[in-house]
Protein backbone atom coordinates (compact mmCIF):
# COMPACT_ATOMS: atom_id res chain seq x y z
CA UNK A 1 0.00 0.00 0.00
CA UNK A 2 1.32 3.45 -0.97
CA UNK A 3 2.31 5.91 1.74
CA UNK A 4 0.53 9.22 1.15
CA UNK A 5 1.48 12.56 2.71
CA UNK A 6 -0.79 15.62 2.74
CA UNK A 7 1.04 18.85 3.61
CA UNK A 8 -1.50 21.38 4.88
CA UNK A 9 -0.38 24.14 7.25
CA UNK A 10 -3.87 25.02 8.47
CA UNK A 11 -7.25 23.31 8.71
CA UNK A 12 -10.41 23.33 10.80
CA UNK A 13 -12.88 20.72 12.09
CA UNK A 14 -14.44 19.96 8.69
CA UNK A 15 -11.22 18.44 7.30
CA UNK A 16 -10.83 15.83 10.03
CA UNK A 17 -13.53 13.37 8.80
CA UNK A 18 -11.98 13.55 5.32
CA UNK A 19 -8.49 12.76 6.60
CA UNK A 20 -9.95 9.96 8.69
CA UNK A 21 -11.59 8.42 5.61
CA UNK A 22 -8.39 8.72 3.57
CA UNK A 23 -6.45 7.00 6.33
CA UNK A 24 -8.93 4.13 6.25
CA UNK A 25 -8.64 3.82 2.47
CA UNK A 26 -4.84 3.73 2.75
CA UNK A 27 -4.88 1.30 5.68
CA UNK A 28 -3.14 3.69 8.10
CA UNK A 29 -0.62 4.79 5.48
CA UNK A 30 -2.02 8.33 5.23
CA UNK A 31 0.10 11.04 6.88
CA UNK A 32 -0.55 14.72 7.56
CA UNK A 33 1.89 17.56 8.24
CA UNK A 34 0.47 20.80 9.63
CA UNK A 35 1.45 23.84 11.69
CA UNK A 36 0.71 23.67 15.41
CA UNK A 37 0.77 27.46 15.48
CA UNK A 38 -2.05 27.83 12.96
CA UNK A 39 -4.40 24.96 13.81
CA UNK A 40 -6.70 25.45 16.85
CA UNK A 41 -5.97 23.18 19.80
CA UNK A 42 -9.39 21.49 19.56
CA UNK A 43 -8.53 20.42 16.00
CA UNK A 44 -5.05 19.30 17.03
CA UNK A 45 -6.60 17.09 19.70
CA UNK A 46 -9.07 15.64 17.19
CA UNK A 47 -6.56 14.95 14.41
CA UNK A 48 -4.09 13.35 16.81
CA UNK A 49 -6.88 11.12 18.07
CA UNK A 50 -7.85 10.12 14.52
CA UNK A 51 -4.44 9.76 12.84
CA UNK A 52 -2.36 9.00 15.95
CA UNK A 53 1.36 9.18 15.05
CA UNK A 54 0.57 9.90 11.40
CA UNK A 55 -0.38 13.49 12.32
CA UNK A 56 2.85 15.50 12.45
CA UNK A 57 2.62 19.04 13.76
CA UNK A 58 5.37 21.54 12.95
CA UNK A 59 6.28 23.31 16.18
CA UNK A 60 8.25 26.36 15.01
CA UNK A 61 7.09 28.74 12.32
CA UNK A 62 7.32 32.45 11.61
CA UNK A 63 5.15 34.44 9.21
CA UNK A 64 5.72 37.89 7.78
CA UNK A 65 2.59 39.61 6.45
CA UNK A 66 2.91 42.17 3.68
CA UNK A 67 0.17 44.39 2.30
CA UNK A 68 -3.50 44.79 3.09
CA UNK A 69 -5.41 41.83 4.54
CA UNK A 70 -9.17 42.44 4.40
CA UNK A 71 -10.30 38.89 3.72
CA UNK A 72 -10.41 39.27 -0.05
CA UNK A 73 -8.06 37.11 -2.12
CA UNK A 74 -4.77 38.71 -3.20
CA UNK A 75 -5.18 41.68 -0.85
CA UNK A 76 -1.92 40.77 0.91
CA UNK A 77 0.71 38.10 1.24
CA UNK A 78 2.01 36.03 4.14
CA UNK A 79 5.57 34.74 3.85
CA UNK A 80 6.17 31.55 5.86
CA UNK A 81 9.45 30.59 7.50
CA UNK A 82 8.76 27.04 8.76
CA UNK A 83 11.82 25.80 10.62
CA UNK A 84 12.48 22.09 10.06
CA UNK A 85 9.65 21.60 7.56
CA UNK A 86 11.67 19.88 4.84
CA UNK A 87 13.25 17.56 7.39
CA UNK A 88 9.79 16.64 8.66
CA UNK A 89 8.48 15.99 5.15
CA UNK A 90 11.49 13.84 4.31
CA UNK A 91 11.06 11.79 7.50
CA UNK A 92 7.71 10.42 6.28
CA UNK A 93 9.31 8.84 3.18
CA UNK A 94 6.05 9.24 1.27
CA UNK A 95 5.39 7.61 -2.08
CA UNK A 96 3.11 10.45 -3.17
CA UNK A 97 2.54 13.97 -1.84
CA UNK A 98 -0.45 16.32 -1.78
CA UNK A 99 0.27 20.00 -1.10
CA UNK A 100 -2.30 22.62 -0.16
CA UNK A 101 -2.36 25.45 -2.70
CA UNK A 102 0.63 26.85 -4.59
CA UNK A 103 2.35 28.64 -1.72
CA UNK A 104 2.75 28.42 2.09
CA UNK A 105 4.21 24.91 2.72
CA UNK A 106 4.02 23.82 -0.93
CA UNK A 107 7.56 24.85 -2.03
CA UNK A 108 9.03 22.44 0.56
CA UNK A 109 6.67 19.64 -0.47
CA UNK A 110 7.49 20.30 -4.13
CA UNK A 111 11.24 20.18 -3.41
CA UNK A 112 10.84 16.77 -1.75
CA UNK A 113 8.84 15.45 -4.71
CA UNK A 114 11.37 16.72 -7.28
CA UNK A 115 14.52 15.59 -5.44
CA UNK A 116 13.07 12.14 -4.68
CA UNK A 117 11.19 11.71 -7.97
CA UNK A 118 7.80 11.31 -6.30
CA UNK A 119 4.42 12.34 -7.78
CA UNK A 120 2.84 15.47 -6.32
CA UNK A 121 -0.72 16.76 -6.47
CA UNK A 122 -1.96 20.17 -5.42
CA UNK A 123 -5.24 20.62 -3.58
CA UNK A 124 -6.66 23.86 -4.98
CA UNK A 125 -9.82 25.90 -4.35
CA UNK A 126 -9.67 29.25 -6.17
CA UNK A 127 -11.97 30.38 -9.00
CA UNK A 128 -11.75 33.02 -11.73
CA UNK A 129 -13.86 35.31 -9.56
CA UNK A 130 -11.73 34.99 -6.43
CA UNK A 131 -8.60 35.43 -8.60
CA UNK A 132 -9.90 38.42 -10.59
CA UNK A 133 -7.31 40.66 -8.90
CA UNK A 134 -4.44 38.18 -9.01
CA UNK A 135 -1.18 40.02 -9.81
CA UNK A 136 0.95 38.93 -12.77
CA UNK A 137 3.80 37.70 -10.56
CA UNK A 138 1.49 35.22 -8.81
CA UNK A 139 0.23 33.87 -12.12
CA UNK A 140 3.78 33.46 -13.40
CA UNK A 141 4.82 31.69 -10.19
CA UNK A 142 1.88 29.28 -10.46
CA UNK A 143 2.68 28.49 -14.08
CA UNK A 144 6.25 27.71 -13.06
CA UNK A 145 5.08 25.39 -10.25
CA UNK A 146 2.69 23.71 -12.68
CA UNK A 147 5.69 22.43 -14.66
CA UNK A 148 6.44 20.01 -11.81
CA UNK A 149 2.89 19.10 -10.69
CA UNK A 150 1.36 15.76 -11.67
CA UNK A 151 -2.25 16.55 -10.86
CA UNK A 152 -4.76 18.73 -9.04
CA UNK A 153 -7.60 17.78 -6.68
CA UNK A 154 -10.14 20.61 -6.72
CA UNK A 155 -13.50 21.44 -5.21
CA UNK A 156 -15.63 21.98 -8.30
CA UNK A 157 -16.14 22.96 -11.92
CA UNK A 158 -15.36 26.67 -11.45
CA UNK A 159 -11.93 25.87 -10.03
CA UNK A 160 -11.27 23.45 -12.87
CA UNK A 161 -12.24 26.10 -15.41
CA UNK A 162 -9.91 28.61 -13.79
CA UNK A 163 -6.93 26.22 -13.81
CA UNK A 164 -7.56 25.37 -17.47
CA UNK A 165 -7.59 29.11 -18.26
CA UNK A 166 -4.15 29.29 -16.65
CA UNK A 167 -2.71 26.61 -18.90
CA UNK A 168 -3.30 23.47 -16.81
CA UNK A 169 -4.38 20.41 -18.78
CA UNK A 170 -7.92 19.40 -17.86
CA UNK A 171 -6.82 15.74 -17.95
CA UNK A 172 -4.88 16.19 -14.69
CA UNK A 173 -7.64 18.03 -12.80
CA UNK A 174 -9.89 15.93 -10.55
CA UNK A 175 -13.05 17.50 -9.09
CA UNK A 176 -15.08 16.51 -6.03
CA UNK A 177 -12.31 17.08 -3.47
CA UNK A 178 -14.12 19.32 -0.98
CA UNK A 179 -16.58 18.43 1.76
CA UNK A 180 -17.94 19.62 5.07
CA UNK A 181 -18.31 17.81 8.40
CA UNK A 182 -21.80 17.02 7.16
CA UNK A 183 -22.47 13.59 8.63
CA UNK A 184 -21.64 14.71 12.15
CA UNK A 185 -23.89 17.77 11.92
CA UNK A 186 -26.77 15.93 10.26
CA UNK A 187 -26.73 13.30 12.99
CA UNK A 188 -26.78 15.95 15.71
CA UNK A 189 -29.74 17.70 14.08
CA UNK A 190 -31.67 14.42 13.85
CA UNK A 191 -31.12 13.85 17.57
CA UNK A 192 -32.83 17.14 18.47
CA UNK A 193 -36.44 16.29 19.36
CA UNK A 194 -39.38 18.46 18.21
CA UNK A 195 -40.03 19.65 21.76
CA UNK A 196 -36.36 20.64 22.10
CA UNK A 197 -36.56 22.65 18.89
CA UNK A 198 -39.66 24.43 20.15
CA UNK A 199 -37.96 25.21 23.46
CA UNK A 200 -34.94 26.65 21.67
CA UNK A 201 -37.20 28.75 19.42
CA UNK A 202 -38.92 30.13 22.50
CA UNK A 203 -35.53 31.03 23.97
CA UNK A 204 -34.80 32.98 20.79
CA UNK A 205 -38.36 34.43 20.68
CA UNK A 206 -38.95 33.07 17.18
CA UNK A 207 -41.50 30.31 17.86
CA UNK A 208 -44.28 32.16 16.01
CA UNK A 209 -42.27 33.23 12.97
CA UNK A 210 -43.26 32.18 9.43
CA UNK A 211 -39.88 31.60 7.73
CA UNK A 212 -36.64 31.70 9.70
CA UNK A 213 -33.59 32.57 7.59
CA UNK A 214 -30.13 31.71 8.91
CA UNK A 215 -26.70 33.17 8.14
CA UNK A 216 -23.60 31.59 9.69
CA UNK A 217 -20.18 33.14 9.17
CA UNK A 218 -17.82 35.99 9.87
CA UNK A 219 -19.12 39.54 9.89
CA UNK A 220 -16.64 41.08 7.48
CA UNK A 221 -17.06 43.06 4.26
CA UNK A 222 -16.25 40.05 2.10
CA UNK A 223 -19.30 38.09 3.31
CA UNK A 224 -21.80 40.65 1.97
CA UNK A 225 -23.96 40.70 5.10
CA UNK A 226 -24.38 44.48 4.82
CA UNK A 227 -26.27 43.96 1.55
CA UNK A 228 -28.45 41.27 3.11
CA UNK A 229 -29.38 43.52 6.04
CA UNK A 230 -30.16 46.43 3.75
CA UNK A 231 -32.45 44.25 1.63
CA UNK A 232 -34.06 42.79 4.74
CA UNK A 233 -35.47 46.21 5.64
CA UNK A 234 -37.62 46.01 2.51
CA UNK A 235 -38.30 42.28 2.66
CA UNK A 236 -39.82 42.54 6.12
CA UNK A 237 -42.36 45.09 4.86
CA UNK A 238 -43.83 42.44 2.55
CA UNK A 239 -43.28 39.51 4.94
CA UNK A 240 -43.54 40.95 8.45
CA UNK A 241 -43.57 37.56 10.17
CA UNK A 242 -40.21 36.38 8.81
CA UNK A 243 -37.04 36.35 10.92
CA UNK A 244 -33.31 36.53 10.25
CA UNK A 245 -30.76 34.84 12.51
CA UNK A 246 -27.18 36.13 12.18
CA UNK A 247 -24.67 33.76 13.79
CA UNK A 248 -21.07 34.91 13.94
CA UNK A 249 -18.76 37.73 14.96
CA UNK A 250 -16.28 40.00 13.26
CA UNK A 251 -15.17 43.62 12.96
CA UNK A 252 -18.60 44.67 11.62
CA UNK A 253 -20.60 43.10 14.46
CA UNK A 254 -20.99 46.30 16.53
CA UNK A 255 -21.85 48.37 13.46
CA UNK A 256 -24.54 45.90 12.42
CA UNK A 257 -26.05 45.74 15.90
CA UNK A 258 -26.07 49.52 16.12
CA UNK A 259 -27.65 49.90 12.68
CA UNK A 260 -30.16 47.01 12.77
CA UNK A 261 -30.37 45.80 16.36
CA UNK A 262 -33.60 47.72 16.92
CA UNK A 263 -35.42 45.51 14.39
CA UNK A 264 -37.41 42.73 16.07
CA UNK A 265 -37.12 40.62 12.93
CA UNK A 266 -33.32 40.23 13.25
CA UNK A 267 -31.34 38.40 15.95
CA UNK A 268 -27.57 38.93 16.22
CA UNK A 269 -26.48 35.80 18.03
CA UNK A 270 -22.75 36.51 18.03
CA UNK A 271 -20.10 33.82 18.17
CA UNK A 272 -21.08 30.34 19.36
CA UNK A 273 -19.11 27.17 19.99
CA UNK A 274 -18.95 24.88 16.94
CA UNK A 275 -20.60 22.13 19.00
CA UNK A 276 -23.81 24.22 19.17
CA UNK A 277 -24.21 25.13 15.50
CA UNK A 278 -26.54 22.17 14.95
CA UNK A 279 -29.14 23.84 17.20
CA UNK A 280 -29.41 26.79 14.81
CA UNK A 281 -29.58 24.59 11.73
CA UNK A 282 -32.37 22.68 13.47
CA UNK A 283 -34.62 25.71 14.02
CA UNK A 284 -33.97 27.46 10.68
CA UNK A 285 -36.10 27.08 7.55
CA UNK A 286 -33.74 28.57 4.93
CA UNK A 287 -29.99 29.13 4.83
CA UNK A 288 -28.81 32.35 3.16
CA UNK A 289 -25.25 33.26 2.17
CA UNK A 290 -24.71 36.68 0.52
CA UNK A 291 -20.93 36.39 0.08
CA UNK A 292 -19.08 38.67 -2.32
CA UNK A 293 -16.25 36.15 -2.69
CA UNK A 294 -15.93 32.50 -1.66
CA UNK A 295 -14.08 29.58 -3.22
CA UNK A 296 -16.46 26.81 -2.12
CA UNK A 297 -18.27 27.88 1.02
CA UNK A 298 -18.49 24.95 3.45
CA UNK A 299 -21.43 26.30 5.42
CA UNK A 300 -23.59 25.57 2.37
CA UNK A 301 -23.13 21.76 2.36
CA UNK A 302 -23.35 21.86 6.17
CA UNK A 303 -26.76 23.51 5.98
CA UNK A 304 -27.86 21.19 3.17
CA UNK A 305 -26.92 18.08 5.16
CA UNK A 306 -29.15 19.43 7.92
CA UNK A 307 -32.09 19.65 5.53
CA UNK A 308 -32.16 23.36 4.66
CA UNK A 309 -33.04 24.99 1.32
CA UNK A 310 -30.37 27.45 0.14
CA UNK A 311 -30.37 31.07 -0.98
CA UNK A 312 -26.87 31.51 -2.41
CA UNK A 313 -24.86 34.33 -3.90
CA UNK A 314 -23.58 33.84 -7.45
CA UNK A 315 -20.16 34.86 -6.11
CA UNK A 316 -19.91 31.60 -4.18
CA UNK A 317 -17.84 29.02 -6.06
CA UNK A 318 -19.89 26.08 -4.78
CA UNK A 319 -23.16 27.01 -6.45
CA UNK A 320 -22.81 24.93 -9.67
CA UNK A 321 -22.52 21.73 -7.65
CA UNK A 322 -24.75 22.46 -4.66
CA UNK A 323 -27.54 24.89 -5.54
CA UNK A 324 -29.99 23.56 -8.12
CA UNK A 325 -32.50 26.30 -8.78
CA UNK A 326 -36.10 25.22 -8.53
CA UNK A 327 -35.09 22.05 -6.66
CA UNK A 328 -33.26 22.99 -3.46
CA UNK A 329 -32.71 26.73 -3.64
CA UNK A 330 -32.20 29.94 -5.55
CA UNK A 331 -29.24 32.04 -6.70
CA UNK A 332 -28.95 35.81 -6.42
CA UNK A 333 -26.58 38.67 -7.13
CA UNK A 334 -25.68 40.24 -3.80
CA UNK A 335 -24.90 43.58 -5.47
CA UNK A 336 -28.37 43.71 -7.03
CA UNK A 337 -31.02 44.44 -4.39
CA UNK A 338 -33.88 43.36 -6.67
CA UNK A 339 -32.20 39.99 -7.13
CA UNK A 340 -31.64 39.61 -3.38
CA UNK A 341 -35.22 40.58 -2.53
CA UNK A 342 -36.54 38.07 -5.05
CA UNK A 343 -34.41 35.32 -3.50
CA UNK A 344 -35.71 36.06 0.00
CA UNK A 345 -39.36 36.14 -1.05
CA UNK A 346 -38.92 33.09 -3.31
CA UNK A 347 -39.25 30.65 -0.42
CA UNK A 348 -42.79 31.79 0.34
CA UNK A 349 -43.93 30.09 -2.87
CA UNK A 350 -42.14 26.72 -2.62
CA UNK A 351 -42.38 23.55 -0.55
CA UNK A 352 -39.64 24.09 2.04
CA UNK A 353 -39.70 20.50 3.22
CA UNK A 354 -39.32 19.16 -0.31
CA UNK A 355 -36.47 21.58 -1.03
CA UNK A 356 -34.77 20.54 2.21
CA UNK A 357 -34.95 16.86 1.28
CA UNK A 358 -33.45 17.65 -2.11
CA UNK A 359 -30.61 19.54 -0.40
CA UNK A 360 -29.80 16.45 1.65
CA UNK A 361 -29.87 14.28 -1.47
CA UNK A 362 -27.53 16.59 -3.42
CA UNK A 363 -25.11 16.99 -0.53
CA UNK A 364 -24.64 13.23 -0.14
CA UNK A 365 -22.41 13.26 -3.21
CA UNK A 366 -20.05 15.60 -1.37
CA UNK A 367 -19.87 13.94 2.04
CA UNK A 368 -16.48 12.89 3.55
CA UNK A 369 -16.73 9.27 2.36
CA UNK A 370 -17.43 10.13 -1.27
CA UNK A 371 -14.90 12.95 -1.27
CA UNK A 372 -12.22 10.64 0.10
CA UNK A 373 -13.00 8.15 -2.66
CA UNK A 374 -12.65 10.91 -5.27
CA UNK A 375 -9.24 11.89 -3.91
CA UNK A 376 -8.19 8.25 -3.63
CA UNK A 377 -9.05 7.74 -7.29
CA UNK A 378 -7.09 10.86 -8.25
CA UNK A 379 -4.02 9.70 -6.31
CA UNK A 380 -4.13 6.23 -7.83
CA UNK A 381 -4.56 7.64 -11.35
CA UNK A 382 -1.56 9.94 -10.97
CA UNK A 383 0.55 7.23 -9.32
CA UNK A 384 -0.02 4.87 -12.26
CA UNK A 385 1.33 7.30 -14.85
Amino acid sequence: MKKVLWVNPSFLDYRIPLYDELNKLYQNNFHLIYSKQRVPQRCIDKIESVLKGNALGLLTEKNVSIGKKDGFANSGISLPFPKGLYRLIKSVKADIVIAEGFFQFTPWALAYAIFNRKPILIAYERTAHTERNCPAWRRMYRKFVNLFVDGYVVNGILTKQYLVSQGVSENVIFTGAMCADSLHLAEKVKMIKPEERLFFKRELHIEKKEIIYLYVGRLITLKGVAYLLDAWKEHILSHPNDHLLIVGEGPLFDDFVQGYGFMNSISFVGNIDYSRISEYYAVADVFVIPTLEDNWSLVVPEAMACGLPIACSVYNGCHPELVHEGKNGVLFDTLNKTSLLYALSYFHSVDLELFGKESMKIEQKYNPQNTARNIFKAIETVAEK
Side-chain angles (χ1 to χ4, degrees), residues 122-228:
I122 285 183
Y124 195 63
E125 303 178 15
R126 300 294 181 89
T127 69
H129 177 68
T130 59
E131 293 305 288
R132 64 196 181 280
N133 297 317
C134 182
W137 69 264
R138 279 188 192 264
R139 294 196 299 270
M140 292 301 296
Y141 165 75
R142 291 169 181 171
K143 288 182 178 181
F144 173 74
V145 170
N146 181 54
L147 296 174
F148 306 96
V149 176
D150 298 280
Y152 295 82
V153 287
V154 306
N155 39 16
I157 186 63
L158 293 183
T159 297
K160 182 175 182 176
Q161 290 173 354
Y162 174 68
L163 285 174
V164 170
S165 75
Q166 300 303 299
V168 178
S169 170
E170 63 178 321
N171 296 328
V172 299
I173 305 172
F174 305 88
T175 57
M178 182 62 73
C179 63
D181 184 10
S182 52
L183 293 176
H184 171 73
L185 282 170
E187 288 173 0
K188 290 191 71 174
V189 168
K190 288 180 182 177
M191 290 174 63
I192 300 176
K193 299 176 182 178
E195 57 267 27
E196 292 174 325
R197 297 185 191 212
L198 180 58
F199 179 78
F200 188 49
K201 282 186 175 183
R202 285 172 177 165
E203 280 190 324
L204 295 171
H205 305 292
I206 58 173
E207 71 273 16
K208 295 181 180 179
K209 298 298 181 178
E210 187 172 358
I211 296 182
I212 299 166
Y213 298 78
L214 173 67
Y215 166 82
V216 176
R218 294 175 294 162
L219 299 183
I220 57 176
T221 302
L222 177 147
K223 294 300 181 179
V225 178
Y227 295 91
L228 172 61

Side-chain angles (χ1 to χ4, degrees), residues 188-326:
K188 290 191 71 174
V189 168
K190 288 180 182 177
M191 290 174 63
I192 300 176
K193 299 176 182 178
E195 57 267 27
E196 292 174 325
R197 297 185 191 212
L198 180 58
F199 179 78
F200 188 49
K201 282 186 175 183
R202 285 172 177 165
E203 280 190 324
L204 295 171
H205 305 292
I206 58 173
E207 71 273 16
K208 295 181 180 179
K209 298 298 181 178
E210 187 172 358
I211 296 182
I212 299 166
Y213 298 78
L214 173 67
Y215 166 82
V216 176
R218 294 175 294 162
L219 299 183
I220 57 176
T221 302
L222 177 147
K223 294 300 181 179
V225 178
Y227 295 91
L228 172 61
L229 292 171
D230 183 55
W232 187 262
K233 290 190 298 184
E234 292 187 33
H235 171 79
I236 205 65
L237 296 176
S238 302
H239 305 282
N241 207 33
D242 285 355
H243 198 84
L244 176 62
L245 288 173
I246 304 287
V247 177
E249 285 186 342
L252 296 178
F253 181 83
D254 291 339
D255 290 342
F256 288 159
V257 171
Q258 184 176 359
Y260 299 92
F262 67 93
M263 297 179 65
N264 293 329
S265 61
I266 303 177
S267 295
F268 292 96
V269 177
N271 193 38
I272 63 168
D273 189 89
Y274 182 76
S275 63
R276 291 194 59 211
I277 192 62
S278 57
E279 298 175 8
Y280 292 88
Y281 284 132
V283 299
D285 298 303
V286 175
F287 188 82
V288 57
I289 179 159
T291 184
L292 299 174
E293 178 185 293
D294 258 311
N295 296 317
W296 212 84
S297 182
L298 289 163
V299 289
V300 174
E302 281 185 356
M304 290 171 63
C306 297
L308 293 183
I310 307 295
C312 182
S313 160
V314 295
Y315 305 117
N316 194 335
C318 72
H319 76 77
E321 286 78 31
L322 298 178
V323 184
H324 300 180
E325 289 197 282

